[in-house]
Amino acid sequence: MDEGDRPTDGDESADRDERNRSESATAHDGGGGVSDELEDEASDGAGGDAPDTEPEPGSRPEAEQSGEPDRADAHDGASHGADAHDGASHGADSHDEAPRDGEDIATKAGLGSTRSSDSDPDESFLYRFRHDREGALMWIREMLSSVAVVLLVGLLLFGVSGVWPPMVAVESGSMEPNMQVGDLVFVTEPGRLAPDAAENGVGVVTHEVGQEVDYRTFGSYGSVMIYTPPGRTGSPIIHRARFHVTEGENWYDRADDRYHNAVDCESLANCPAPHDGYITLGDNNGAYDQASGLSPPVRAEWVNGVARVRVPYLGYIRLVATGQVELNEAIARTVGSSLSPASSGFSAAG
């Protein structure tokens, strides 16, 4: 055979390409017989007309690059079938790594942030602090919340009363039976919430005026006030205002002789009155504060507040905390198994 009649390498390559295309077409047709209409429908279902030329080596179909396996390739024989199978396997292996089309990317991001927050020791501690039902964190949380509630209540009471502290504890029995040792008394600043019968700037109604207008507080006529005379180093005094005197007044005739043992003004302490003020008395005491020398007539500026409401026993918390009352004594008084002797002096509130 002459060299001119010998097929060239290009002709052989062309023949092989033609045979490959024929074999591929035969495999695509399933070995005999898929009609052109079915081919068109299959091509339309796969997203359009099939390309006329075979993709270049190393390139992937557009549908495969977007993460979707080509349905038409799933039916191909030989190389196309293997590519589809490899793509499906790759998609299955990478299911947890890359979201499929239609999957919420934000959800993936949220799951990732949750996992990272679970591993964050600070957020984990905060979660346990808020949700633990036992252990040290639970006790710390409950203690802090209790303190916060007490402070909040104190601030609310301060807003109403206008004086700090807004509540005082009764330390002695000088106001019994109308106030008991360990009572917690709510106090308002002078002049606040004053009744109509109080014709003064401190909002105090005296026992004398209370009898006339039928004004009662804590089991008797008149107001109970908290005051601190000059030079006093102890707790303030909480006693009832009996009547008001003016400077130089001889108040001996106005006084109830049950609460002094004087025979005239000269033998009665603080008589005549050295200045304007209130004559005061503890409900359980046998002498006026001014007759016993506990205090001169109480000036308006000495008044710390006016008692409004008492809460039994809660004052023991303060008294025990400040060491004024022993815990066993407070428990005994609370349950009524023992009683301390009543004070003959004054009732103090701290």
Side-chain angles (χ1 to χ4, degrees):
M1 179 181 295
D2 295 334
E3 290 182 0
D5 295 334
R6 183 178 298 170
T8 64
D9 293 338
D11 292 338
E12 291 178 356
S13 299
D15 291 340
R16 284 196 300 270
D17 291 341
E18 185 65 27
R19 285 195 300 272
N20 290 337
R21 281 195 295 271
S22 299
E23 290 173 0
S24 176
T26 303
H28 179 71
D29 292 340
V34 179
S35 65
D36 293 339
E37 291 181 3
L38 294 179
E39 274 190 26
D40 293 338
E41 291 177 2
S43 300
D44 293 339
D49 295 339
D52 294 335
T53 61
E54 185 177 358
E56 295 181 2
S59 65
R60 299 177 63 186
E62 182 178 353
E64 191 171 335
Q65 292 179 3
S66 64
E68 292 184 358
D70 192 347
R71 296 178 182 176
D73 290 347
H75 299 284
D76 289 349
S79 61
H80 291 285
D83 291 343
H85 183 269
D86 293 340
S89 301
H90 178 72
D93 294 338
S94 60
H95 176 72
D96 293 334
E97 297 177 1
R100 290 174 293 180
D101 290 350
E103 186 173 4
D104 190 353
I105 304 301
T107 303
K108 281 286 186 182
L111 290 175
S113 63
T114 303
R115 293 177 186 136
S116 63
S117 65
D118 290 342
S119 61
D120 189 344
D122 294 336
E123 293 189 13
S124 178
F125 174 82
L126 179 61
Y127 180 85
R128 289 188 292 108
F129 179 78
R130 294 176 58 190
H131 297 281
D132 277 4
R133 292 293 180 264
E134 59 182 10
L137 289 180
M138 184 272 290
W139 287 107
I140 294 173
R141 182 185 68 241
E142 296 301 321
M143 182 181 66
L144 291 179
S145 59
S146 299
V147 171
V149 169
V150 171
L151 290 177
L152 179 60
V153 172
L155 289 175
L156 291 175
L157 292 176
F158 172 70
V160 174
S161 69
V163 62
W164 188 265
M167 306 189 83
V168 295
V170 177
E171 297 177 6
S172 76
S174 65
M175 284 294 292
E176 291 179 353
N178 299 315
M179 286 185 179
Q180 303 285 340
V181 176
D183 286 354
L184 195 65
V185 180
F186 176 65
V187 180
T188 59
E189 69 176 338
R192 179 168 294 204
L193 304 178
D196 296 336
E199 299 177 355
N200 48 62
V202 293
V204 170
V205 178
T206 64
H207 183 274
E208 187 177 70
V209 174
Q211 285 181 311
E212 298 174 1
V213 299
D214 194 25
Y215 177 81
R216 294 172 175 265
T217 62
F218 300 100
S220 186
Y221 294 107
S223 301
V224 176
M225 62 185 189
I226 298 92
Y227 71 95
T228 305
R232 180 171 179 79
T233 57
S235 301
I237 301 169
I238 178 168
H239 282 173
R240 195 178 302 273
R242 299 293 294 192
F243 54 91
H244 187 269
V245 297
T246 57
E247 183 178 359
E249 178 183 346
N250 179 349
W251 53 274
Y252 176 82
D253 293 334
R254 296 176 61 189
D256 190 330
D257 57 11
R258 293 178 298 175
Y259 304 118
H260 68 84
N261 54 7
V263 295
D264 53 23
C265 182
E266 286 74 15
S267 60
L268 180 61
N270 291 296
C271 186
H275 51 255
D276 294 357
Y278 294 97
I279 304 300
T280 56
L281 174 70
D283 290 353
N284 195 42
N285 287 352
Y288 294 114
D289 298 344
Q290 291 66 37
S292 64
L294 183 62
S295 170
V298 179
R299 292 180 181 271
E301 55 267 29
W302 300 350
V303 179
N304 305 122
V306 179
R308 299 298 181 187
V309 180
R310 76 180 183 96
V311 182
Y313 308 122
L314 286 185
Y316 277 123
I317 298 175
R318 177 179 175 83
L319 297 180
V320 171
T322 56
Q324 295 168 285
V325 174
E326 295 297 328
L327 179 60
N328 58 350
E329 182 182 0
I331 295 174
R333 289 179 178 180
T334 301
V335 300
S337 60
S338 65
L339 296 174
S340 64
S343 171
S344 59
F346 58 90
S347 175

